[in-house]
Amino acid sequence: MSDEPYYPGLEGVIAGETAICTIAGGLSYRGYSIEELARDARFIEVAYLLLEGELPNQEQLADFQSILVESGELPPSVTDLIASIPLHVSAMDVLRTGISAISHFDPQLDDNSREANVAKTLRLLAQIPQLIAARYRLSQGETPLKPNDELSFSANLLYMLTGKEPPASHERATEVSLILYAEHEFNASTFTARVVTSTMSDLYSSIAAAVGALKGPLHGGANERVMEVLEEVGTAGRAESWVRDALANKERIMGFGHRVYKTGDPRAVILKQYCAELAEETGQTELEEIANTIENIVVAEKGLPPNLDWPSARLYHYMGLEVELYTPLFVVSRVLGWAAHVIEQTENNRLIRPRSKYKGPKRREFTPLVERG
Ligand SMILES: CC(C)(COP(=O)(O)OP(=O)(O)OC[C@H]1O[C@@H](n2cnc3c(N)ncnc32)[C@H](O)[C@@H]1OP(=O)(O)O)[C@@H](O)C(=O)NCCC(=O)NCCS
């Protein structure tokens, strides 16, 4: 075993099969290119596509939306629970706890059939935005809002956070960012969800574990770090010296680089255009200037293109959203990808249990405690 090759970080390892998403030949969900989905589809259609495997017709979509609305009610005890968590606890930690708490009220918790897993996913899709918004509003001393079922998924999400119906430009930009965040094959959090599922545990356990994996700054947590960096740089005049110093100090620049995209993340390209539009609309073009300077230098000096978290941080900032909401917003959408993988893993399951390359001490004699002095 010890002489066999191994791949740190499982880089390049094909760890399973999937029919949900591929990055080969450009990113696509169930065969549809991400560019077309981001341009022409609504988030809710993509939700259906990821869970059911096909795009919905109008009737199927209407049914799907009705079920989503009916799945909406966040158990009041969960709201009470999250209200009792100290305010210094991060939104991602509260979200992980909240998802676990929702599971205690789900009568289908341990039913791993496809139907039950889809039903549970719709409950999470409806309730996660409420969970995030309720915690956020409570932390601001405001009362949580009930969902407004007349609004689109994204407009309702923004409404529950801000208390205002968003302009069409914010609604569309959110739709696109959620579509882009929804799925990405065997990334760290999705793989986590599949590992948990492979033990025949339940969907909530897989999702709660995936939230924990997403929180890290090398994965979903990067979008919050990106905004902290942009705020630290502050002015366009400081951008070049900041990035050159950071590179000279061998710092990791959040929002750049990717394990599988070495020449560029197509999702970042799509979202950049929405950033430029919202920056113009909200009079924050200096932030675009800062971002472009940093981007040009990191690409030129390190050959590292930006990933999706680079534009998404600015996008959410232009909409007036607080930084601590950025990674939770990723969860709002990625829960679909995770759930689609939970369902796929369940339907063709084999326990995921790799081996390790041992590098510890050779076999040695055990000495009883009394003889060890
Ligand atoms: C995403 C990420 C973890 C992928 O990393 P990976 O495939 O494991 O690559 P490594 O961490 O082994 O890095 C390879 C080299 O590129 C450098 N590098 C990678 N990303 C970098 C970044 N964002 N800034 C500066 N250098 C970076 C590493 O320092 C390393 O250099 P070295 O060989 O001189 O030591 C990495 O690019 C990263 O940390 N990016 C920042 C966090 C981020 O934006 N995450 C969101 C991903 S969608």
Side-chain angles (χ1 to χ4, degrees):
M1 183 77 198
S2 61
D3 291 335
E4 285 176 31
Y6 92 106
Y7 304 90
L10 299 184
E11 181 164 8
V13 171
I14 308 284
E17 291 181 308
T18 183
I20 304 167
C21 163
T22 181
I23 57 166
L27 176 61
S28 60
Y29 298 167
R30 305 261 188 211
Y32 295 100
S33 86
I34 195 68
E35 285 78 11
E36 282 186 291
L37 292 172
R39 194 187 60 217
D40 296 330
R42 290 161 60 200
F43 172 65
I44 201 74
E45 289 173 71
V46 174
Y48 186 101
L49 172 69
L50 288 171
L51 291 177
E52 301 292 350
E54 295 295 337
L55 284 169
N57 62 28
Q58 293 177 39
E59 192 185 331
Q60 288 165 327
L61 189 63
D63 287 349
F64 188 72
Q65 275 183 297
S66 308
I67 300 171
L68 189 61
V69 168
E70 285 158 19
S71 308
E73 189 74 18
L74 186 65
S77 323
V78 175
T79 312
D80 293 345
L81 171 71
I82 59 165
S84 72
I85 299 173
L87 285 180
H88 70 267
V89 177
S90 81
M92 275 300 274
D93 290 334
V94 174
L95 182 53
R96 191 194 57 233
T97 299
I99 288 172
S100 216
I102 291 172
S103 77
H104 306 319
F105 298 87
D106 196 317
Q108 291 179 298
L109 173 65
D110 285 318
D111 182 346
N112 287 342
S113 66
R114 182 187 176 82
E115 293 68 28
N117 276 342
V118 170
K120 285 183 275 186
T121 305
L122 289 181
R123 275 172 222 138
L124 283 171
L125 192 61
Q127 293 178 26
I128 285 173
Q130 291 176 60
L131 197 57
I132 295 168
R135 168 69 180 186
Y136 175 66
R137 289 185 70 83
L138 287 166
S139 74
Q140 304 293 305
E142 308 205 57
T143 314
L145 294 168
K146 293 256 178 254
N148 180 343
D149 302 331
E150 302 297 309
L151 300 177
S152 71
F153 186 90
S154 293
N156 182 45
L157 171 65
L158 295 174
Y159 160 74
M160 285 196 292
L161 287 168
T162 65
K164 290 188 276 245
E165 282 187 33
S169 56
H170 291 200
E171 180 185 0
R172 185 61 204 157
T174 305
E175 286 280 291
V176 172
S177 83
L178 295 181
I179 290 170
L180 298 175
Y181 265 140
E183 161 58 7
H184 214 214
E185 53 120 271
F186 275 35
N187 60 81
S189 57
T190 303
F191 192 60
T192 301
R194 288 192 81 127
V195 170
V196 176
T197 302
S198 82
T199 70
M200 291 176 71
S201 185
D202 70 290
L203 180 133
Y204 282 100
S205 298
S206 301
I207 302 294
V211 172
L214 190 81
K215 174 187 163 188
L218 295 189
H219 192 9
N223 62 9
E224 296 185 10
R225 300 301 186 289
V226 163
M227 200 57 228
E228 286 161 12
V229 159
L230 291 171
E231 280 174 342
E232 185 191 321
V233 175
T235 62
R238 284 198 59 214
E240 177 165 357
S241 58
W242 179 87
V243 68
R244 290 203 188 281
D245 286 352
L247 291 176
N249 292 331
K250 302 222 169 298
E251 282 174 31
R252 207 162 266 254
I253 320 274
M254 291 295 144
F256 288 88
H258 199 277
R259 173 61 65 79
V260 294
Y261 294 124
K262 295 304 178 193
T263 55
D265 180 340
R267 304 167 302 172
V269 176
I270 296 171
L271 212 59
K272 189 175 178 177
Q273 163 205 338
Y274 288 89
C275 285
E277 284 169 20
L278 284 195
E280 198 68 48
E281 191 181 303
T282 57
Q284 300 181 77
T285 48
E286 186 172 9
L287 197 55
E288 282 304 282
E289 232 183 284
I290 296 173
N292 286 334
T293 303
I294 295 175
E295 185 174 324
N296 291 340
I297 294 172
V298 176
V299 171
E301 299 292 320
K302 294 283 290 186
L304 285 171
N307 58 54
L308 177 57
D309 293 317
W310 182 242
S312 67
R314 270 136 61 210
L315 192 86
Y316 296 148
H317 174 80
Y318 296 143
M319 291 187 225
L321 301 174
E322 299 274 350
V323 175
E324 67 157 359
L325 294 170
Y326 297 3
T327 317
L329 287 173
F330 192 156
V331 175
V332 166
S333 154
R334 182 57 65 87
V335 70
L336 288 168
W338 293 332
H341 280 272
V342 166
I343 292 167
E344 188 177 63
Q345 180 71 34
T346 305
E347 287 179 349
N348 187 17
N349 189 45
R350 184 141 197 251
L351 178 72
I352 299 174
R353 201 298 187 194
R355 293 295 313 275
S356 58
K357 180 170 175 162
Y358 181 67
K359 58 174 197 176
K362 288 201 168 55
R363 275 294 176 99
R364 43 189 169 162
E365 286 295 313
F366 174 78
T367 322
L369 180 61
V370 283
E371 291 171 29
R372 275 178 266 145

